[in-house]
Amino acid sequence: MIDSIRDLIMASPLAAVAVSFLAGGIFGALMSRSGDAGDEEVVHKAGSDAVDGDPKEIVVIRAELEAARSLLDDGEEQDEEIRSQLSALDEAVNRANGRLKLLLKSIRKVKPSE
């Protein structure tokens, strides 16, 4: 069966486009079904902040904004941690560079005397 599908695709360039279109449609349908359940979970999580009469989309957008704000706050903490790690790494590289320069200097002193 795989050989017949491969032969069909090789015979007509439009067959590859049709197969891609169908695969994309199936994948999109599956993703949209799984996405609907996720929206309901977000609405239930943000239900305490929801004002009566707000449409579902507004509640979802509010929940997404809160999640984005929390990610921004986490990002600042991570930035500080990364800065401290980079400065420690820079100091270690500078120390190693100094040691290599001393080693190279001592090798140059020993080499001409031979």
Side-chain angles (χ1 to χ4, degrees), residues 76-102:
E76 291 174 2
E77 294 171 4
Q78 290 176 351
D79 288 345
E80 290 297 322
E81 183 178 330
I82 289 172
R83 282 189 195 112
S84 65
Q85 289 177 355
L86 284 176
S87 65
L89 181 64
D90 187 43
E91 291 173 6
V93 168
N94 286 337
R95 284 193 308 269
N97 188 27
R99 291 181 193 137
L100 287 174
K101 285 182 180 179
L102 290 175

Short mmCIF file of all heavy atoms in Angstrom, two decimals, residues 76-102:
data_model
loop_
_atom_site.label_atom_id
_atom_site.label_comp_id
_atom_site.label_asym_id
_atom_site.label_seq_id
_atom_site.Cartn_x
_atom_site.Cartn_y
_atom_site.Cartn_z
N GLU A 76 12.35 38.37 34.95
CA GLU A 76 13.26 39.30 35.61
C GLU A 76 14.12 38.56 36.62
O GLU A 76 15.32 38.83 36.73
CB GLU A 76 12.47 40.41 36.29
CG GLU A 76 11.81 41.36 35.30
CD GLU A 76 10.92 42.39 35.97
OE1 GLU A 76 10.85 42.40 37.22
OE2 GLU A 76 10.29 43.18 35.25
N GLU A 77 13.55 37.63 37.35
CA GLU A 77 14.32 36.84 38.31
C GLU A 77 15.36 35.99 37.58
O GLU A 77 16.50 35.87 38.02
CB GLU A 77 13.40 35.95 39.14
CG GLU A 77 12.47 36.72 40.04
CD GLU A 77 11.43 35.83 40.69
OE1 GLU A 77 11.47 34.61 40.50
OE2 GLU A 77 10.56 36.37 41.40
N GLN A 78 14.97 35.42 36.46
CA GLN A 78 15.90 34.60 35.69
C GLN A 78 17.01 35.46 35.10
O GLN A 78 18.15 35.02 35.00
CB GLN A 78 15.16 33.84 34.59
CG GLN A 78 14.25 32.75 35.10
CD GLN A 78 13.46 32.09 33.99
OE1 GLN A 78 13.46 32.54 32.86
NE2 GLN A 78 12.77 31.01 34.33
N ASP A 79 16.69 36.69 34.70
CA ASP A 79 17.70 37.58 34.15
C ASP A 79 18.80 37.85 35.18
O ASP A 79 19.98 37.85 34.85
CB ASP A 79 17.08 38.90 33.69
CG ASP A 79 16.25 38.75 32.42
OD1 ASP A 79 16.38 37.71 31.75
OD2 ASP A 79 15.48 39.68 32.12
N GLU A 80 18.40 38.12 36.41
CA GLU A 80 19.38 38.37 37.47
C GLU A 80 20.26 37.14 37.70
O GLU A 80 21.47 37.26 37.88
CB GLU A 80 18.68 38.77 38.77
CG GLU A 80 18.05 40.14 38.72
CD GLU A 80 19.08 41.23 38.51
OE1 GLU A 80 20.20 41.14 39.06
OE2 GLU A 80 18.76 42.18 37.77
N GLU A 81 19.65 35.98 37.70
CA GLU A 81 20.41 34.74 37.89
C GLU A 81 21.39 34.52 36.74
O GLU A 81 22.55 34.16 36.95
CB GLU A 81 19.46 33.55 38.00
CG GLU A 81 20.14 32.24 38.28
CD GLU A 81 19.16 31.09 38.41
OE1 GLU A 81 18.01 31.34 38.84
OE2 GLU A 81 19.55 29.97 38.09
N ILE A 82 20.95 34.78 35.53
CA ILE A 82 21.82 34.62 34.36
C ILE A 82 22.97 35.62 34.42
O ILE A 82 24.11 35.28 34.11
CB ILE A 82 21.00 34.76 33.06
CG1 ILE A 82 20.08 33.55 32.89
CG2 ILE A 82 21.91 34.91 31.85
CD1 ILE A 82 19.11 33.66 31.75
N ARG A 83 22.67 36.85 34.81
CA ARG A 83 23.73 37.86 34.92
C ARG A 83 24.79 37.43 35.92
O ARG A 83 25.99 37.57 35.67
CB ARG A 83 23.14 39.20 35.34
CG ARG A 83 22.48 39.95 34.23
CD ARG A 83 22.11 41.38 34.66
NE ARG A 83 21.18 41.93 33.70
CZ ARG A 83 19.91 42.21 33.93
NH1 ARG A 83 19.40 42.01 35.13
NH2 ARG A 83 19.14 42.70 32.99
N SER A 84 24.38 36.91 37.06
CA SER A 84 25.35 36.49 38.07
C SER A 84 26.17 35.30 37.58
O SER A 84 27.38 35.23 37.80
CB SER A 84 24.65 36.16 39.39
OG SER A 84 23.82 35.03 39.24
N GLN A 85 25.53 34.37 36.88
CA GLN A 85 26.26 33.23 36.34
C GLN A 85 27.26 33.67 35.27
O GLN A 85 28.39 33.17 35.21
CB GLN A 85 25.30 32.19 35.77
CG GLN A 85 24.51 31.45 36.82
CD GLN A 85 23.51 30.47 36.22
OE1 GLN A 85 23.34 30.41 35.02
NE2 GLN A 85 22.85 29.71 37.08
N LEU A 86 26.84 34.62 34.41
CA LEU A 86 27.74 35.10 33.37
C LEU A 86 28.92 35.86 33.96
O LEU A 86 30.05 35.74 33.46
CB LEU A 86 26.98 35.98 32.38
CG LEU A 86 26.10 35.26 31.38
CD1 LEU A 86 25.34 36.26 30.52
CD2 LEU A 86 26.90 34.33 30.51
N SER A 87 28.69 36.63 34.99
CA SER A 87 29.82 37.35 35.60
C SER A 87 30.78 36.38 36.27
O SER A 87 32.01 36.56 36.18
CB SER A 87 29.31 38.39 36.60
OG SER A 87 28.68 37.77 37.70
N ALA A 88 30.28 35.33 36.90
CA ALA A 88 31.16 34.31 37.49
C ALA A 88 31.95 33.59 36.40
O ALA A 88 33.14 33.32 36.56
CB ALA A 88 30.34 33.31 38.31
N LEU A 89 31.29 33.30 35.29
CA LEU A 89 31.97 32.65 34.17
C LEU A 89 33.03 33.56 33.57
O LEU A 89 34.14 33.11 33.24
CB LEU A 89 30.94 32.26 33.10
CG LEU A 89 31.48 31.55 31.87
CD1 LEU A 89 32.07 30.20 32.25
CD2 LEU A 89 30.37 31.37 30.85
N ASP A 90 32.73 34.85 33.45
CA ASP A 90 33.69 35.81 32.92
C ASP A 90 34.93 35.89 33.81
O ASP A 90 36.06 35.92 33.32
CB ASP A 90 33.03 37.17 32.78
CG ASP A 90 33.91 38.17 32.08
OD1 ASP A 90 34.55 37.80 31.07
OD2 ASP A 90 33.97 39.34 32.52
N GLU A 91 34.72 35.92 35.12
CA GLU A 91 35.85 35.95 36.04
C GLU A 91 36.69 34.68 35.92
O GLU A 91 37.93 34.74 35.93
CB GLU A 91 35.35 36.10 37.48
CG GLU A 91 34.74 37.46 37.77
CD GLU A 91 34.10 37.51 39.15
OE1 GLU A 91 34.23 36.54 39.92
OE2 GLU A 91 33.44 38.53 39.44
N ALA A 92 36.05 33.53 35.77
CA ALA A 92 36.78 32.27 35.64
C ALA A 92 37.59 32.25 34.34
O ALA A 92 38.74 31.79 34.32
CB ALA A 92 35.82 31.09 35.68
N VAL A 93 37.01 32.76 33.26
CA VAL A 93 37.73 32.81 31.98
C VAL A 93 38.91 33.76 32.07
O VAL A 93 40.00 33.46 31.57
CB VAL A 93 36.76 33.22 30.84
CG1 VAL A 93 37.51 33.56 29.57
CG2 VAL A 93 35.77 32.10 30.58
N ASN A 94 38.73 34.89 32.73
CA ASN A 94 39.84 35.84 32.89
C ASN A 94 40.96 35.23 33.72
O ASN A 94 42.14 35.42 33.41
CB ASN A 94 39.35 37.14 33.53
CG ASN A 94 38.55 37.98 32.55
OD1 ASN A 94 38.69 37.84 31.35
ND2 ASN A 94 37.69 38.84 33.08
N ARG A 95 40.63 34.50 34.79
CA ARG A 95 41.67 33.83 35.58
C ARG A 95 42.40 32.79 34.76
O ARG A 95 43.63 32.68 34.81
CB ARG A 95 41.04 33.17 36.82
CG ARG A 95 40.67 34.14 37.92
CD ARG A 95 40.36 33.42 39.23
NE ARG A 95 39.38 32.37 39.07
CZ ARG A 95 38.06 32.53 39.22
NH1 ARG A 95 37.59 33.71 39.53
NH2 ARG A 95 37.24 31.52 39.08
N ALA A 96 41.64 32.01 33.99
CA ALA A 96 42.27 30.98 33.14
C ALA A 96 43.14 31.63 32.08
O ALA A 96 44.24 31.13 31.78
CB ALA A 96 41.19 30.12 32.49
N ASN A 97 42.73 32.75 31.53
CA ASN A 97 43.53 33.47 30.54
C ASN A 97 44.84 33.95 31.17
O ASN A 97 45.90 33.85 30.55
CB ASN A 97 42.73 34.64 29.97
CG ASN A 97 43.42 35.29 28.81
OD1 ASN A 97 44.20 34.67 28.11
ND2 ASN A 97 43.13 36.57 28.60
N GLY A 98 44.76 34.47 32.38
CA GLY A 98 45.98 34.90 33.08
C GLY A 98 46.93 33.74 33.32
O GLY A 98 48.15 33.86 33.14
N ARG A 99 46.40 32.61 33.73
CA ARG A 99 47.24 31.43 33.95
C ARG A 99 47.90 30.97 32.66
O ARG A 99 49.07 30.58 32.64
CB ARG A 99 46.42 30.30 34.55
CG ARG A 99 45.97 30.55 35.96
CD ARG A 99 45.18 29.37 36.49
NE ARG A 99 44.50 29.74 37.72
CZ ARG A 99 43.26 29.43 38.02
NH1 ARG A 99 42.54 28.71 37.17
NH2 ARG A 99 42.72 29.80 39.15
N LEU A 100 47.13 30.99 31.56
CA LEU A 100 47.69 30.58 30.27
C LEU A 100 48.80 31.53 29.83
O LEU A 100 49.81 31.09 29.27
CB LEU A 100 46.59 30.51 29.22
CG LEU A 100 45.62 29.34 29.34
CD1 LEU A 100 44.50 29.47 28.32
CD2 LEU A 100 46.35 28.02 29.15
N LYS A 101 48.63 32.83 30.07
CA LYS A 101 49.67 33.79 29.71
C LYS A 101 50.94 33.53 30.51
O LYS A 101 52.05 33.58 29.97
CB LYS A 101 49.18 35.22 29.94
CG LYS A 101 48.21 35.69 28.89
CD LYS A 101 47.79 37.12 29.13
CE LYS A 101 46.80 37.58 28.07
NZ LYS A 101 46.37 38.97 28.31
N LEU A 102 50.79 33.25 31.82
CA LEU A 102 51.96 32.94 32.64
C LEU A 102 52.65 31.66 32.16
O LEU A 102 53.87 31.58 32.09
CB LEU A 102 51.56 32.80 34.11
CG LEU A 102 51.16 34.08 34.83
CD1 LEU A 102 50.66 33.75 36.25
CD2 LEU A 102 52.34 35.03 34.89
#
